[in-house]
Amino acid sequence: MNALVATNRNFKLAARLLGLDSKLEKSLLIPFREIKVECTIPKDDGTLASYVGFRVQHDNARGPMKGGIRYHPEVDPDEVNALAQLMTWKTAVANIPYGGAKGGIGCDPSGLSISELERLTRVFTQKIHDLIGVHTDVPAPDMGTGPQTMAWILDEYSKFHGYSPAVVTGKPIDLGGSLGRDAATGRGVLFATEALLKEHGKSVSGQRFVIQGFGNVGSWAAQLISEKGGKIVAVSDITGAIKNSNGIDIPALLKHVKETRGVKGFHGGNSIDPKSVLVEDCDVLIPAALGGVINRENANDIKAKFIIEAANHPTDPEADEILSKKGVAILPDIYANSGGVTVSYFEWVQNIQGFMWDEEKVNNELRTYMTNGFKAMKEMCRTHNCDLRMGAFTLGVNRVARATVLRGWEA
């Protein structure tokens, strides 16, 4: 099941639980604006190349729209729509004053030189500069983009509108990026995990963890969880998977990954089939890679009692049903991985104030937001007698619906 179908399904279930009016329900699903632009640049060899850039702005009832820009060869409009909608609910769950957006350029960034990427980013910014803005739509990095991409967007946008550091987040620290942003999603995963385990009378210390995906989110989550006494027994990434029942030495693994660009060949554990990592024996499973990895084929074999969705949409609805029958608690992505967008909000706030925080303040504020988010989600679970995923969706949808009605926008 693709991301759009699953997101729409979750939205409709939440709308039904909340008893939303059918007109309001329909208007909440329709994107505010979809933008598609042609970006033509000279390549390094002098030839011209054209790429399609786009931005889906889903909803701005609660504030400016917020969401990533990805550079990827297969940019599917349906997926972008789903991710923009998901950002609307995610920012509402996190209780930060934003709506949802998503965008990108259909290109293969690995096949472009740095100067070609810069030209492409600047042309894209020229085409959309009057449709984004500090109080309109604030982009951020996503797959295939990073702090440097944001720096180019900031510079190009500032040529038209004057210096505006708050127009994008995820910037380099030197240009107004926030301390703690790099670790934010992983740290949010830790805080989310702590909140869920506390609910069940447990703590991170002594629990056995499996982490699928060892990019930014997975590696930070692994580092922070192991610092708290959690035992990481298996890890996988695109290069392979490793297992050590006594616990992997995470600092040593991080060093190995930095040197060899992957977990493959790490001597502090046995090599295993990457496909089997999800069904390894553990207490807590953290999928931190791609969507749709937990499905009806493997759901029955999962041994974890808790699943923390650090990736976007890692669990198919069919797997959801199988796992809830088994009594597995699943912490949904729209709450579990919201640490990144929350610290992006802190970055935006710091830029608008022209006053930067130290890292301790960033981390403390993040803990507060994640803890409050968990409490509000659990409150919705009790009110509507539903699981954590529906608790999160009803929380997000209800906040957006209320803002929409209060602004007098309902059809």
Side-chain angles (χ1 to χ4, degrees):
M1 185 182 282
N2 78 13
L4 185 62
V5 175
T7 309
N8 283 346
R9 174 179 178 272
N10 286 330
F11 167 77
K12 291 198 165 91
L13 287 169
R16 208 156 301 148
L17 279 175
L18 292 163
L20 292 190
D21 170 71
S22 62
K23 276 186 182 167
L24 178 58
E25 182 182 329
K26 198 175 166 195
S27 78
L28 286 176
L29 270 187
I30 300 168
F32 168 75
R33 175 162 55 194
E34 293 188 32
I35 302 150
K36 200 172 188 181
V37 293
E38 185 186 28
C39 302
T40 304
I41 59 158
K43 301 277 291 261
D44 291 343
D45 62 8
T47 60
L48 289 177
S50 278
Y51 303 91
V52 177
F54 51 88
R55 185 81 176 157
V56 174
Q57 298 175 330
H58 178 255
D59 189 279
N60 60 356
R62 298 182 62 258
M65 294 162 287
K66 187 92 192 76
I69 288 182
R70 55 176 52 183
Y71 288 1
H72 194 269
E74 295 142 41
V75 170
D76 169 29
D78 270 0
E79 188 184 21
V80 175
N81 247 310
L83 292 168
Q85 189 198 134
L86 212 54
M87 283 304 292
T88 297
W89 316 134
K90 184 184 286 189
T91 50
V93 169
N95 207 16
I96 54 180
Y98 286 142
K102 206 73 171 186
I105 301 177
C107 68
D108 177 6
S110 65
L112 295 169
S113 70
I114 297 289
S115 57
E116 286 167 343
L117 283 169
E118 178 176 351
R119 287 197 289 276
L120 183 55
T121 303
R122 289 183 183 277
V123 169
F124 182 50
T125 308
Q126 287 163 18
K127 297 278 175 114
I128 65 165
H129 76 89
D130 52 353
L131 301 169
I132 61 172
V134 176
H135 299 291
T136 314
D137 176 6
V138 181
D142 200 313
M143 281 160 59
T145 58
Q148 180 60 70
T149 323
M150 297 304 108
W152 291 327
I153 295 175
L154 160 62
D155 182 69
E156 198 61 34
Y157 180 87
S158 296
K159 289 176 187 174
F160 296 93
H161 302 274
Y163 184 60
S164 316
V167 74
V168 286
T169 59
K171 299 182 292 293
I173 302 288
D174 296 331
L175 284 177
S178 178
L179 295 170
R181 176 64 188 89
D182 189 43
T185 311
R187 195 175 296 277
V189 168
L190 168 71
F191 293 153
T193 307
E194 286 180 327
L196 180 64
L197 290 174
K198 190 177 173 188
E199 184 83 9
H200 291 264
K202 300 178 191 305
S203 71
V204 167
S205 181
Q207 297 289 309
R208 294 167 306 140
F209 291 79
V210 165
I211 300 179
Q212 185 209 30
F214 209 69
N216 172 280
V217 182
S219 60
W220 273 111
Q223 185 177 331
L224 297 166
I225 285 166
S226 71
E227 283 170 11
K228 287 274 183 188
K231 196 154 116 177
I232 293 153
V233 293
V235 167
S236 73
D237 70 2
I238 206 156
T239 63
I242 50 161
K243 172 188 175 179
N244 182 341
S245 309
N246 299 320
I248 296 166
D249 177 350
I250 296 298
L253 177 60
L254 288 165
K255 188 166 177 277
H256 172 83
V257 169
K258 202 172 173 186
E259 286 162 4
T260 67
R261 305 193 71 97
V263 302
K264 189 181 177 188
F266 179 64
H267 295 309
N270 303 321
S271 180
I272 55 168
D273 178 5
K275 286 195 185 73
S276 75
V277 79
L278 294 165
V279 299
E280 284 297 328
D281 188 22
C282 66
D283 303 306
V284 185
L285 172 62
I286 304 181
L290 296 167
V293 293
I294 299 172
N295 45 47
R296 59 165 182 254
E297 273 79 63
N298 60 11
N300 277 311
D301 303 323
I302 285 175
K303 299 175 186 66
K305 302 170 200 66
F306 304 97
I307 296 175
I308 315 288
E309 294 189 335
N312 280 323
H313 189 63
T315 317
D316 269 3
E318 294 100 328
D320 245 349
E321 279 181 36
I322 296 167
L323 291 162
S324 70
K325 283 192 184 110
K326 285 172 65 173
V328 178
I330 302 176
L331 206 51
D333 51 1
I334 62 168
Y335 166 70
N337 66 23
S338 64
V341 73
T342 303
V343 175
S344 275
Y345 162 61
F346 300 162
E347 180 180 333
W348 180 77
V349 166
Q350 291 168 77
N351 295 152
I352 287 172
Q353 289 188 331
F355 182 82
M356 304 309 284
W357 305 349
D358 61 28
E359 194 168 346
E360 190 183 2
K361 179 168 167 71
V362 173
N363 294 342
N364 287 340
E365 290 286 346
L366 176 59
R367 182 188 283 280
T368 305
Y369 270 82
M370 295 299 295
T371 311
N372 291 344
F374 187 80
K375 285 178 189 152
M377 179 173 65
K378 284 300 289 187
E379 196 52 46
M380 286 307 245
C381 293
R382 282 190 281 276
T383 306
H384 298 289
N385 191 22
C386 59
D387 65 2
L388 290 163
R389 190 180 307 282
M390 272 305 111
F393 265 89
T394 50
L395 177 63
V397 172
N398 191 41
R399 281 175 173 161
V400 178
R402 277 174 31 197
T404 304
V405 172
L406 285 166
R407 292 184 72 162
W409 291 357
E410 78 273 33

